[in-house]
PDB file of all heavy atoms in Angstrom:
ATOM      1  N   PHE A 104     123.361 112.881  99.092  1.00  0.00           N
ATOM      2  CA  PHE A 104     123.215 112.376  97.733  1.00  0.00           C
ATOM      3  C   PHE A 104     122.095 113.129  97.013  1.00  0.00           C
ATOM      4  O   PHE A 104     121.062 113.452  97.586  1.00  0.00           O
ATOM      5  CB  PHE A 104     122.899 110.884  97.731  1.00  0.00           C
ATOM      6  CG  PHE A 104     124.063 110.022  98.110  1.00  0.00           C
ATOM      7  CD1 PHE A 104     124.142 109.476  99.388  1.00  0.00           C
ATOM      8  CD2 PHE A 104     125.081 109.757  97.211  1.00  0.00           C
ATOM      9  CE1 PHE A 104     125.213 108.674  99.747  1.00  0.00           C
ATOM     10  CE2 PHE A 104     126.150 108.948  97.569  1.00  0.00           C
ATOM     11  CZ  PHE A 104     126.221 108.408  98.835  1.00  0.00           C
ATOM     12  N   THR A 105     122.305 113.380  95.731  1.00  0.00           N
ATOM     13  CA  THR A 105     121.295 114.016  94.897  1.00  0.00           C
ATOM     14  C   THR A 105     121.152 113.232  93.599  1.00  0.00           C
ATOM     15  O   THR A 105     122.040 112.481  93.209  1.00  0.00           O
ATOM     16  CB  THR A 105     121.674 115.470  94.571  1.00  0.00           C
ATOM     17  OG1 THR A 105     122.932 115.486  93.865  1.00  0.00           O
ATOM     18  CG2 THR A 105     121.789 116.308  95.839  1.00  0.00           C
ATOM     19  N   ASP A 106     120.024 113.410  92.943  1.00  0.00           N
ATOM     20  CA  ASP A 106     119.787 112.729  91.681  1.00  0.00           C
ATOM     21  C   ASP A 106     118.724 113.501  90.915  1.00  0.00           C
ATOM     22  O   ASP A 106     117.931 114.252  91.498  1.00  0.00           O
ATOM     23  CB  ASP A 106     119.332 111.281  91.918  1.00  0.00           C
ATOM     24  CG  ASP A 106     119.342 110.450  90.647  1.00  0.00           C
ATOM     25  OD1 ASP A 106     120.230 110.670  89.804  1.00  0.00           O
ATOM     26  OD2 ASP A 106     118.454 109.584  90.494  1.00  0.00           O
ATOM     27  N   VAL A 107     118.697 113.305  89.601  1.00  0.00           N
ATOM     28  CA  VAL A 107     117.713 114.002  88.780  1.00  0.00           C
ATOM     29  C   VAL A 107     116.322 113.387  88.939  1.00  0.00           C
ATOM     30  O   VAL A 107     115.323 114.016  88.592  1.00  0.00           O
ATOM     31  CB  VAL A 107     118.108 113.978  87.286  1.00  0.00           C
ATOM     32  CG1 VAL A 107     119.379 114.771  87.062  1.00  0.00           C
ATOM     33  CG2 VAL A 107     118.272 112.546  86.783  1.00  0.00           C
ATOM     34  N   HIS A 108     116.245 112.167  89.450  1.00  0.00           N
ATOM     35  CA  HIS A 108     114.950 111.514  89.630  1.00  0.00           C
ATOM     36  C   HIS A 108     114.935 110.796  90.981  1.00  0.00           C
ATOM     37  O   HIS A 108     114.960 109.570  91.044  1.00  0.00           O
ATOM     38  CB  HIS A 108     114.684 110.515  88.495  1.00  0.00           C
ATOM     39  CG  HIS A 108     113.308 109.905  88.530  1.00  0.00           C
ATOM     40  ND1 HIS A 108     112.166 110.645  88.337  1.00  0.00           N
ATOM     41  CD2 HIS A 108     112.895 108.636  88.751  1.00  0.00           C
ATOM     42  CE1 HIS A 108     111.116 109.863  88.410  1.00  0.00           C
ATOM     43  NE2 HIS A 108     111.522 108.635  88.670  1.00  0.00           N
ATOM     44  N   PRO A 109     114.926 111.552  92.080  1.00  0.00           N
ATOM     45  CA  PRO A 109     114.908 110.906  93.387  1.00  0.00           C
ATOM     46  C   PRO A 109     113.593 110.168  93.620  1.00  0.00           C
ATOM     47  O   PRO A 109     112.523 110.643  93.239  1.00  0.00           O
ATOM     48  CB  PRO A 109     115.072 112.080  94.357  1.00  0.00           C
ATOM     49  CG  PRO A 109     114.552 113.262  93.610  1.00  0.00           C
ATOM     50  CD  PRO A 109     114.883 113.018  92.170  1.00  0.00           C
ATOM     51  N   CYS A 110     113.691 109.001  94.230  1.00  0.00           N
ATOM     52  CA  CYS A 110     112.517 108.199  94.562  1.00  0.00           C
ATOM     53  C   CYS A 110     112.277 108.339  96.058  1.00  0.00           C
ATOM     54  O   CYS A 110     112.878 107.606  96.858  1.00  0.00           O
ATOM     55  CB  CYS A 110     112.741 106.742  94.173  1.00  0.00           C
ATOM     56  SG  CYS A 110     113.031 106.522  92.405  1.00  0.00           S
ATOM     57  N   VAL A 111     111.440 109.273  96.427  1.00  0.00           N
ATOM     58  CA  VAL A 111     111.261 109.659  97.823  1.00  0.00           C
ATOM     59  C   VAL A 111     109.781 109.631  98.157  1.00  0.00           C
ATOM     60  O   VAL A 111     108.965 110.228  97.439  1.00  0.00           O
ATOM     61  CB  VAL A 111     111.824 111.073  98.085  1.00  0.00           C
ATOM     62  CG1 VAL A 111     111.624 111.478  99.536  1.00  0.00           C
ATOM     63  CG2 VAL A 111     113.309 111.133  97.713  1.00  0.00           C
ATOM     64  N   GLY A 112     109.435 108.931  99.250  1.00  0.00           N
ATOM     65  CA  GLY A 112     108.043 108.939  99.677  1.00  0.00           C
ATOM     66  C   GLY A 112     107.642 107.665 100.364  1.00  0.00           C
ATOM     67  O   GLY A 112     108.484 106.886 100.835  1.00  0.00           O
ATOM     68  N   THR A 113     106.346 107.446 100.409  1.00  0.00           N
ATOM     69  CA  THR A 113     105.791 106.213 100.965  1.00  0.00           C
ATOM     70  C   THR A 113     106.050 105.068  99.996  1.00  0.00           C
ATOM     71  O   THR A 113     106.445 105.295  98.838  1.00  0.00           O
ATOM     72  CB  THR A 113     104.284 106.369 101.168  1.00  0.00           C
ATOM     73  OG1 THR A 113     103.672 106.538  99.873  1.00  0.00           O
ATOM     74  CG2 THR A 113     103.961 107.565 102.059  1.00  0.00           C
ATOM     75  N   PRO A 114     105.852 103.821 100.428  1.00  0.00           N
ATOM     76  CA  PRO A 114     106.024 102.711  99.481  1.00  0.00           C
ATOM     77  C   PRO A 114     105.222 102.900  98.200  1.00  0.00           C
ATOM     78  O   PRO A 114     105.727 102.616  97.099  1.00  0.00           O
ATOM     79  CB  PRO A 114     105.550 101.502 100.284  1.00  0.00           C
ATOM     80  CG  PRO A 114     105.885 101.854 101.704  1.00  0.00           C
ATOM     81  CD  PRO A 114     105.609 103.331 101.796  1.00  0.00           C
ATOM     82  N   GLU A 115     104.011 103.385  98.315  1.00  0.00           N
ATOM     83  CA  GLU A 115     103.189 103.582  97.123  1.00  0.00           C
ATOM     84  C   GLU A 115     103.785 104.661  96.211  1.00  0.00           C
ATOM     85  O   GLU A 115     103.793 104.516  94.978  1.00  0.00           O
ATOM     86  CB  GLU A 115     101.766 103.971  97.533  1.00  0.00           C
ATOM     87  CG  GLU A 115     100.989 102.882  98.247  1.00  0.00           C
ATOM     88  CD  GLU A 115     101.388 102.705  99.705  1.00  0.00           C
ATOM     89  OE1 GLU A 115     102.087 103.598 100.258  1.00  0.00           O
ATOM     90  OE2 GLU A 115     101.015 101.679 100.302  1.00  0.00           O
ATOM     91  N   GLN A 116     104.296 105.726  96.793  1.00  0.00           N
ATOM     92  CA  GLN A 116     104.877 106.808  95.993  1.00  0.00           C
ATOM     93  C   GLN A 116     106.183 106.380  95.323  1.00  0.00           C
ATOM     94  O   GLN A 116     106.441 106.746  94.171  1.00  0.00           O
ATOM     95  CB  GLN A 116     105.098 108.039  96.875  1.00  0.00           C
ATOM     96  CG  GLN A 116     103.799 108.711  97.306  1.00  0.00           C
ATOM     97  CD  GLN A 116     104.026 109.771  98.375  1.00  0.00           C
ATOM     98  OE1 GLN A 116     104.888 109.627  99.252  1.00  0.00           O
ATOM     99  NE2 GLN A 116     103.246 110.849  98.316  1.00  0.00           N
ATOM    100  N   VAL A 117     107.004 105.620  96.029  1.00  0.00           N
ATOM    101  CA  VAL A 117     108.253 105.150  95.445  1.00  0.00           C
ATOM    102  C   VAL A 117     107.962 104.157  94.320  1.00  0.00           C
ATOM    103  O   VAL A 117     108.610 104.188  93.263  1.00  0.00           O
ATOM    104  CB  VAL A 117     109.152 104.535  96.532  1.00  0.00           C
ATOM    105  CG1 VAL A 117     110.337 103.800  95.914  1.00  0.00           C
ATOM    106  CG2 VAL A 117     109.643 105.624  97.486  1.00  0.00           C
ATOM    107  N   ALA A 118     106.980 103.288  94.519  1.00  0.00           N
ATOM    108  CA  ALA A 118     106.594 102.366  93.440  1.00  0.00           C
ATOM    109  C   ALA A 118     106.111 103.135  92.223  1.00  0.00           C
ATOM    110  O   ALA A 118     106.435 102.792  91.076  1.00  0.00           O
ATOM    111  CB  ALA A 118     105.519 101.406  93.940  1.00  0.00           C
ATOM    112  N   GLU A 119     105.354 104.205  92.453  1.00  0.00           N
ATOM    113  CA  GLU A 119     104.869 105.023  91.346  1.00  0.00           C
ATOM    114  C   GLU A 119     106.019 105.683  90.597  1.00  0.00           C
ATOM    115  O   GLU A 119     105.982 105.817  89.360  1.00  0.00           O
ATOM    116  CB  GLU A 119     103.908 106.084  91.872  1.00  0.00           C
ATOM    117  CG  GLU A 119     103.289 106.952  90.791  1.00  0.00           C
ATOM    118  CD  GLU A 119     102.318 107.975  91.348  1.00  0.00           C
ATOM    119  OE1 GLU A 119     102.061 107.962  92.564  1.00  0.00           O
ATOM    120  OE2 GLU A 119     101.817 108.805  90.557  1.00  0.00           O
ATOM    121  N   ALA A 120     107.074 106.076  91.326  1.00  0.00           N
ATOM    122  CA  ALA A 120     108.224 106.706  90.680  1.00  0.00           C
ATOM    123  C   ALA A 120     109.019 105.723  89.843  1.00  0.00           C
ATOM    124  O   ALA A 120     109.633 106.102  88.842  1.00  0.00           O
ATOM    125  CB  ALA A 120     109.123 107.341  91.737  1.00  0.00           C
ATOM    126  N   LEU A 121     109.034 104.455  90.245  1.00  0.00           N
ATOM    127  CA  LEU A 121     109.837 103.445  89.550  1.00  0.00           C
ATOM    128  C   LEU A 121     109.041 102.678  88.499  1.00  0.00           C
ATOM    129  O   LEU A 121     109.638 102.102  87.584  1.00  0.00           O
ATOM    130  CB  LEU A 121     110.419 102.455  90.563  1.00  0.00           C
ATOM    131  CG  LEU A 121     111.510 103.016  91.478  1.00  0.00           C
ATOM    132  CD1 LEU A 121     111.871 102.003  92.570  1.00  0.00           C
ATOM    133  CD2 LEU A 121     112.755 103.385  90.683  1.00  0.00           C
ATOM    134  N   ARG A 122     107.724 102.673  88.612  1.00  0.00           N
ATOM    135  CA  ARG A 122     106.929 101.856  87.697  1.00  0.00           C
ATOM    136  C   ARG A 122     107.131 102.216  86.225  1.00  0.00           C
ATOM    137  O   ARG A 122     107.133 101.315  85.370  1.00  0.00           O
ATOM    138  CB  ARG A 122     105.445 101.938  88.072  1.00  0.00           C
ATOM    139  CG  ARG A 122     104.579 100.938  87.292  1.00  0.00           C
ATOM    140  CD  ARG A 122     103.151 100.910  87.805  1.00  0.00           C
ATOM    141  NE  ARG A 122     103.108 100.381  89.174  1.00  0.00           N
ATOM    142  CZ  ARG A 122     102.769 101.095  90.244  1.00  0.00           C
ATOM    143  NH1 ARG A 122     102.498 102.386  90.109  1.00  0.00           N
ATOM    144  NH2 ARG A 122     102.716 100.543  91.435  1.00  0.00           N
ATOM    145  N   PRO A 123     107.322 103.498  85.866  1.00  0.00           N
ATOM    146  CA  PRO A 123     107.543 103.782  84.440  1.00  0.00           C
ATOM    147  C   PRO A 123     108.738 103.046  83.839  1.00  0.00           C
ATOM    148  O   PRO A 123     108.706 102.682  82.656  1.00  0.00           O
ATOM    149  CB  PRO A 123     107.763 105.306  84.427  1.00  0.00           C
ATOM    150  CG  PRO A 123     107.036 105.798  85.625  1.00  0.00           C
ATOM    151  CD  PRO A 123     107.223 104.735  86.664  1.00  0.00           C
ATOM    152  N   PHE A 124     109.768 102.816  84.629  1.00  0.00           N
ATOM    153  CA  PHE A 124     110.932 102.094  84.107  1.00  0.00           C
ATOM    154  C   PHE A 124     110.594 100.629  83.857  1.00  0.00           C
ATOM    155  O   PHE A 124     111.014 100.048  82.849  1.00  0.00           O
ATOM    156  CB  PHE A 124     112.105 102.231  85.082  1.00  0.00           C
ATOM    157  CG  PHE A 124     112.519 103.653  85.321  1.00  0.00           C
ATOM    158  CD1 PHE A 124     112.123 104.319  86.486  1.00  0.00           C
ATOM    159  CD2 PHE A 124     113.268 104.339  84.387  1.00  0.00           C
ATOM    160  CE1 PHE A 124     112.486 105.630  86.705  1.00  0.00           C
ATOM    161  CE2 PHE A 124     113.634 105.656  84.602  1.00  0.00           C
ATOM    162  CZ  PHE A 124     113.239 106.314  85.761  1.00  0.00           C
ATOM    163  N   VAL A 125     109.840 100.043  84.761  1.00  0.00           N
ATOM    164  CA  VAL A 125     109.403  98.658  84.568  1.00  0.00           C
ATOM    165  C   VAL A 125     108.525  98.562  83.334  1.00  0.00           C
ATOM    166  O   VAL A 125     108.645  97.630  82.535  1.00  0.00           O
ATOM    167  CB  VAL A 125     108.670  98.146  85.823  1.00  0.00           C
ATOM    168  CG1 VAL A 125     108.204  96.703  85.626  1.00  0.00           C
ATOM    169  CG2 VAL A 125     109.577  98.242  87.051  1.00  0.00           C
ATOM    170  N   ASP A 126     107.653  99.546  83.145  1.00  0.00           N
ATOM    171  CA  ASP A 126     106.790  99.550  81.976  1.00  0.00           C
ATOM    172  C   ASP A 126     107.585  99.683  80.678  1.00  0.00           C
ATOM    173  O   ASP A 126     107.149  99.201  79.623  1.00  0.00           O
ATOM    174  CB  ASP A 126     105.779 100.699  82.074  1.00  0.00           C
ATOM    175  CG  ASP A 126     104.752 100.491  83.182  1.00  0.00           C
ATOM    176  OD1 ASP A 126     104.602  99.345  83.653  1.00  0.00           O
ATOM    177  OD2 ASP A 126     104.109 101.489  83.579  1.00  0.00           O
ATOM    178  N   LEU A 127     108.755 100.323  80.759  1.00  0.00           N
ATOM    179  CA  LEU A 127     109.610 100.458  79.579  1.00  0.00           C
ATOM    180  C   LEU A 127     110.414  99.196  79.291  1.00  0.00           C
ATOM    181  O   LEU A 127     111.094  99.112  78.275  1.00  0.00           O
ATOM    182  CB  LEU A 127     110.571 101.637  79.754  1.00  0.00           C
ATOM    183  CG  LEU A 127     109.951 103.030  79.619  1.00  0.00           C
ATOM    184  CD1 LEU A 127     110.933 104.102  80.071  1.00  0.00           C
ATOM    185  CD2 LEU A 127     109.523 103.291  78.168  1.00  0.00           C
ATOM    186  N   GLY A 128     110.365  98.219  80.187  1.00  0.00           N
ATOM    187  CA  GLY A 128     111.052  96.950  79.957  1.00  0.00           C
ATOM    188  C   GLY A 128     112.238  96.700  80.850  1.00  0.00           C
ATOM    189  O   GLY A 128     112.967  95.722  80.643  1.00  0.00           O
ATOM    190  N   VAL A 129     112.479  97.567  81.840  1.00  0.00           N
ATOM    191  CA  VAL A 129     113.594  97.359  82.759  1.00  0.00           C
ATOM    192  C   VAL A 129     113.371  96.060  83.538  1.00  0.00           C
ATOM    193  O   VAL A 129     112.300  95.849  84.110  1.00  0.00           O
ATOM    194  CB  VAL A 129     113.757  98.554  83.712  1.00  0.00           C
ATOM    195  CG1 VAL A 129     114.694  98.208  84.858  1.00  0.00           C
ATOM    196  CG2 VAL A 129     114.274  99.759  82.940  1.00  0.00           C
ATOM    197  N   GLU A 130     114.393  95.228  83.578  1.00  0.00           N
ATOM    198  CA  GLU A 130     114.301  93.931  84.248  1.00  0.00           C
ATOM    199  C   GLU A 130     115.102  93.874  85.537  1.00  0.00           C
ATOM    200  O   GLU A 130     114.951  92.927  86.313  1.00  0.00           O
ATOM    201  CB  GLU A 130     114.796  92.821  83.314  1.00  0.00           C
ATOM    202  CG  GLU A 130     113.970  92.665  82.059  1.00  0.00           C
ATOM    203  CD  GLU A 130     114.474  91.536  81.182  1.00  0.00           C
ATOM    204  OE1 GLU A 130     114.928  90.509  81.716  1.00  0.00           O
ATOM    205  OE2 GLU A 130     114.427  91.686  79.948  1.00  0.00           O
ATOM    206  N   HIS A 131     115.973  94.861  85.757  1.00  0.00           N
ATOM    207  CA  HIS A 131     116.813  94.832  86.958  1.00  0.00           C
ATOM    208  C   HIS A 131     116.970  96.255  87.459  1.00  0.00           C
ATOM    209  O   HIS A 131     117.447  97.131  86.733  1.00  0.00           O
ATOM    210  CB  HIS A 131     118.188  94.232  86.631  1.00  0.00           C
ATOM    211  CG  HIS A 131     118.833  93.541  87.782  1.00  0.00           C
ATOM    212  ND1 HIS A 131     119.310  92.245  87.711  1.00  0.00           N
ATOM    213  CD2 HIS A 131     119.071  93.944  89.044  1.00  0.00           C
ATOM    214  CE1 HIS A 131     119.823  91.897  88.878  1.00  0.00           C
ATOM    215  NE2 HIS A 131     119.692  92.922  89.701  1.00  0.00           N
ATOM    216  N   LEU A 132     116.546  96.496  88.709  1.00  0.00           N
ATOM    217  CA  LEU A 132     116.689  97.793  89.356  1.00  0.00           C
ATOM    218  C   LEU A 132     117.849  97.743  90.339  1.00  0.00           C
ATOM    219  O   LEU A 132     117.938  96.819  91.144  1.00  0.00           O
ATOM    220  CB  LEU A 132     115.410  98.166  90.102  1.00  0.00           C
ATOM    221  CG  LEU A 132     114.155  98.406  89.273  1.00  0.00           C
ATOM    222  CD1 LEU A 132     112.942  98.569  90.191  1.00  0.00           C
ATOM    223  CD2 LEU A 132     114.317  99.646  88.392  1.00  0.00           C
TER     224      LEU A 132
END
């Protein structure tokens, strides 16, 4: 699988990759 924004790493790194979406108002991942 490939993606333009892969979330790969430790829990802290994956949270950092996803946090911008939550900050933009995303309510469901």
Side-chain angles (χ1 to χ4, degrees):
F104 288 102
T105 60
D106 191 35
V107 294
H108 186 65
C110 299
V111 179
T113 65
E115 293 77 14
Q116 290 170 324
V117 169
E119 183 179 356
L121 290 172
R122 189 173 294 113
F124 301 101
V125 180
D126 292 343
L127 286 169
V129 167
E130 297 181 36
H131 209 128
L132 294 172

